[in-house]
Amino acid sequence: MKRAEKPVSRLFVSAAAILCAAAALLSSCSGGETAATDTAEVSQTEAAPSGIGLDGYAVIRPMKATGRETDVAVSVRKALGDEGLSVTISDDWVKDVSSLPAEAKEILVGNTNRPETAGISSGLKAGCAAVRVFPSGRIAIYGSDDASLDRACTFFISTFVTGKGKDAAVTGGFAWAEGSQFPVSSLKIGGTDMPSFSLVIPDRATRDERCAAEIIESAVKEASGFIMKTYSEKNAPDGAKIYIGNCSASQAAGAAAPDGGYLVRAAGGDIYVSGSGGMAEAGANALLSEILPADAAGDVSYDFSGDIAGTYAQPELPGPDGLGGMPVALTDQKNAVAAVYDIFPALSGGRPVLRYTFDPSSCGFSTDRTYGTSIDECRLRYSRTLGTYVIGFTSSAGFIGLAEYPSGKKIWETSLAGFGPHCIEYLPNGTVAVALSGNGNETKASVRLYAAPSGGKSSGYDSDMLTGAHSVLWDDVRQLLWVLGSSELRAYRVSGTVRDPKLTRITGAGASGKWGGHDLSAIHGEPDLLLISGAGAFIYSKTSGTVSDALPKSWGVSVSSTKCLCSAVYSVPAAPGASRLLLLTQATKVFKDHDTDRFSWFIMPDGDLSTTAMSRGTVTFDGPAFYKARAWTPDYCRLD
């Protein structure tokens, strides 16, 4: 999401004033006044380049430097060398940090082991860059992220080095800080400043526990700029802690979550967030909803009045009209419609029954049948904000829309010719996620999160680039948005407001592989699993992060050219209890190369994906040629 930047302002002050101003300037990156937006703001002091000469200095980078830290260190050395100064470069290794001399001619780049680095980085907010000259003679160049470190490097070189020749010098006590302002200026929980808390995960943390910590870390950083750190339990520092998952301290405190649920508890100055599987993330989100609501701003304080506990509750929805049996939606490109069929009669040799059709060109949308012949998604969801079922649909020719169901009345639309919309998801808060493949142009391939529709037209959005983005799916257990690209599966935390939403990638979740990714579906009844289809058919486990074949080889099913593999749970009269239905759609070059007129179905009465006790068959349609066959259900993931 593009945000405007304020003009940079600089204050030139005397060397005497620098010592007095240093602490206040650095505090602009570690606290400061409340801001209405996160627009960039600058606080600086500069002095004439006189005082401590830079000749003979050593540029010090971390022993395990990041690529950016190494690049910046090399840039600083080169800039000084170009001015004719004698400068060396080395890493920060020493056998004993306490043996370091009190004074040294060192330029510290990034996160070194020197005490001066700890001094400049302590309490630094996200997006902050800083340069400081310490009484020890050491000069620290620091940024809270790669971009900020680049800015600090550029400032140091342009201010003190370029064009100064052998007279290049700094002034003792000099301090400069440039940073961003955030909606929340201070954040306290139970009277303790949030930056004082350490996030702690078990020594052998699960992927869910690590993701839960990352969710909290990213949310706090986004709202306040405070940078929290995550530690394993055995390496956790002293002080206040937020324990995530199955830590031994959580067990000792009696803060274990109930089966299938989460628990957030404050005790003894610490906070415990527990839950197994996806409930760890659910607990993290429950804590955030209390301490950092979407409208949080200024000085924020939260005091626990008791435990925060919960379980995943299957949403109770009114039954959609006119459906029964086993409804399946086809993105019928030949006839430029979305068509919903009851396929139950076809499971016993009969014909599928057409129950519903949706043609956007006849429902008030500005699209025409040209777009309809490339329709590639049709998904049913329920909108609590609108009080109605909604249909989300996309066309790779460049159209995206949202309509009421069953009337087809337009809610919202936007056109994106050349971007290749391939999938749409309506989120519980009313925002709309869309996967854009780019139609071969990877500069356009991305995921977008649109603001909640208002007035029927396109609205603001946040986006992130993703090669070959093809599918989006909301996870209402973990409260994450899953996005599938051609060779990468990602998860995003959704934040901000419904009018100004934001996507933040959770790097601890997801996977990569040679999938030729086309579609992403939930496995109903299995909230830990996702179905990935494309060059084949795969299952992804959110808890383990592993990817495996979706269909057992013993079934003898070819999964080449898979466009969609989806699942739903139905009550089948012939089989008591819940049965799982899998639908496999593969391109057979009917109408278009990626279309077909049939899909394979598999029903497992016991719901076990590995079972051989299943029935199977093929449903062939007369007339339609479709890209996907999608189980027509409003549920993100049913647990029954």
Side-chain angles (χ1 to χ4, degrees):
M1 202 172 291
K2 301 294 185 181
R3 303 184 188 276
E5 292 188 354
K6 292 181 180 179
V8 172
S9 60
R10 292 185 174 180
L11 298 174
F12 290 85
V13 300
S14 67
I18 294 173
L19 291 171
C20 299
L25 291 166
L26 290 176
S27 72
S28 69
C29 275
S30 59
E33 299 177 8
T34 303
T37 68
D38 61 354
T39 308
E41 188 69 60
V42 176
S43 294
Q44 303 181 14
T45 63
E46 297 183 7
S50 61
I52 304 172
L54 294 175
D55 193 40
Y57 262 75
V59 178
I60 306 296
R61 64 175 184 263
M63 185 174 67
K64 295 182 178 180
T66 65
R68 190 60 55 88
E69 287 171 329
T70 297
D71 291 345
V72 168
V74 170
S75 296
V76 170
R77 183 186 66 167
K78 182 178 185 303
L80 290 165
D82 288 346
E83 297 297 321
L85 281 73
S86 176
V87 180
T88 62
I89 187 170
S90 64
D91 62 46
D92 63 358
W93 184 89
V94 290
K95 186 174 182 180
D96 183 1
V97 175
S98 64
S99 67
L100 287 167
E103 298 182 358
K105 298 181 71 171
E106 294 180 338
I107 300 173
L108 313 176
V109 173
N111 195 32
T112 75
N113 62 5
R114 303 300 197 255
E116 289 82 359
T117 295
I120 197 173
S121 64
S122 179
L124 202 68
K125 285 191 171 187
C128 281
V131 175
R132 188 173 177 183
V133 180
F134 286 84
S136 64
R138 292 185 175 92
I139 303 164
I141 300 174
Y142 192 85
S144 58
D145 52 39
D146 285 351
S148 301
L149 183 59
D150 279 344
R151 294 201 311 273
C153 172
T154 299
F155 174 80
F156 176 79
I157 292 173
S158 63
T159 303
F160 298 113
V161 181
T162 303
K164 306 301 189 297
K166 293 188 176 182
D167 293 328
V170 296
T171 301
F174 175 86
W176 168 87
E178 174 191 272
S180 301
Q181 293 182 341
F182 296 87
V184 174
S185 53
S186 70
L187 177 60
K188 295 178 183 290
I189 301 181
T192 301
D193 288 327
M194 195 66 177
S196 299
F197 283 95
S198 297
L199 292 166
V200 180
I201 57 178
D203 295 333
R204 295 185 177 181
T206 66
R207 177 171 286 230
D208 283 303
E209 289 165 334
R210 291 193 295 269
C211 286
E214 187 178 351
I215 286 170
I216 295 174
E217 183 180 325
S218 66
V220 170
K221 178 180 176 181
E222 175 190 315
S224 67
F226 296 126
I227 301 174
M228 303 185 72
K229 293 184 178 180
T230 300
Y231 301 88
S232 64
E233 194 167 11
K234 67 180 179 182
N235 294 322
D238 293 335
K241 300 175 180 67
I242 300 177
Y243 290 99
I244 307 292
N246 192 32
C247 290
S248 59
S250 303
Q251 299 174 36
D259 290 341
Y262 62 82
L263 175 69
V264 181
R265 173 176 294 172
D270 296 322
I271 299 171
Y272 303 89
V273 180
S274 58
S276 59
M279 289 296 103
E281 289 98 323
N285 284 307
L287 172 63
L288 291 170
S289 67
E290 294 290 331
I291 66 173
L292 283 174
D295 59 353
D299 296 329
V300 177
S301 180
Y302 179 81
D303 292 308
F304 277 87
S305 59
D307 291 345
I308 305 170
T311 58
Y312 175 76
Q314 187 70 50
E316 294 294 332
L317 303 177
D321 295 333
L323 296 180
M326 292 186 173
V328 172
L330 310 181
T331 56
D332 184 357
Q333 298 190 344
K334 181 178 179 181
N335 297 294
V337 297
V340 180
Y341 286 83
D342 175 10
I343 67 166
F344 186 76
L347 304 183
S348 55
R351 303 297 305 160
V353 179
L354 179 63
R355 296 291 191 186
Y356 178 78
T357 59
F358 171 67
D359 178 1
S361 66
S362 63
C363 294
F365 290 87
S366 58
T367 182
D368 55 28
R369 290 181 63 84
T370 302
Y371 286 100
T373 57
S374 295
I375 186 171
D376 49 17
E377 183 61 280
C378 183
R379 182 172 266 165
L380 181 68
R381 292 295 186 236
Y382 184 77
S383 170
R384 294 190 182 279
T385 59
L386 300 176
T388 183
Y389 281 90
V390 297
I391 303 169
F393 65 95
T394 59
S395 164
S396 59
F399 196 78
I400 306 166
L402 197 68
E404 293 183 3
Y405 173 84
S407 70
K409 179 182 177 182
K410 184 179 78 171
I411 297 173
W412 171 81
E413 67 175 52
T414 190
S415 295
L416 287 173
F419 281 80
H422 265 72
C423 187
I424 186 171
E425 178 66 292
Y426 185 84
L427 275 61
N429 67 353
T431 56
V432 180
V434 181
L436 306 172
S437 72
N439 282 348
N441 182 348
E442 294 303 337
T443 65
K444 297 180 177 180
S446 60
V447 54
R448 286 189 181 183
L449 180 64
Y450 283 92
S454 177
K457 288 295 184 180
S458 175
S459 50
Y461 62 87
D462 195 11
S463 66
D464 194 29
M465 304 300 293
L466 176 60
T467 300
H470 263 69
S471 192
V472 285
L473 182 70
W474 178 248
D475 183 337
D476 58 343
V477 176
R478 288 166 172 81
Q479 297 177 51
L480 295 173
L481 179 69
W482 295 93
V483 185
L484 180 67
S486 56
S487 60
E488 191 174 3
L489 174 65
R490 294 180 181 176
Y492 290 86
R493 182 176 65 84
V494 172
S495 60
T497 67
V498 294
R499 299 300 174 211
D500 186 18
K502 183 175 178 60
L503 287 169
T504 301
R505 185 180 174 188
I506 301 300
T507 58
S512 58
K514 297 180 180 179
W515 305 317
H518 267 276
D519 190 60
L520 191 62
S521 295
I523 300 182
H524 291 268
E526 298 284 353
D528 178 52
L529 304 179
L530 292 174
L531 291 170
I532 297 173
S533 53
F538 310 95
I539 290 178
Y540 170 76
S541 168
K542 303 169 191 175
T543 297
S544 68
T546 57
V547 178
S548 56
D549 290 334
L551 304 182
K553 295 188 184 303
S554 60
W555 289 12
V557 178
S558 170
V559 291
S560 62
S561 301
T562 299
K563 296 302 179 182
C564 183
L565 176 65
C566 64
S567 158
V569 176
Y570 293 87
S571 178
V572 183
S579 298
R580 178 173 289 117
L581 169 73
L582 289 181
L583 304 178
L584 177 67
T585 307
Q586 296 169 284
T588 57
K589 298 184 178 182
V590 174
F591 183 60
K592 294 182 179 180
D593 284 351
H594 52 247
D595 286 336
T596 186
D597 61 355
R598 67 198 65 192
F599 60 74
S600 302
W601 56 266
F602 309 87
I603 291 180
M604 291 139 284
D606 58 3
D608 182 1
L609 286 170
S610 64
T611 185
T612 56
M614 53 88 183
S615 55
R616 58 189 291 184
T618 300
V619 177
T620 303
F621 296 83
D622 295 327
F626 51 93
Y627 180 71
K628 289 177 184 174
R630 170 85 67 202
W632 191 243
T633 171
D635 298 312
Y636 298 107
C637 181
R638 289 201 69 88
L639 300 189
D640 54 4

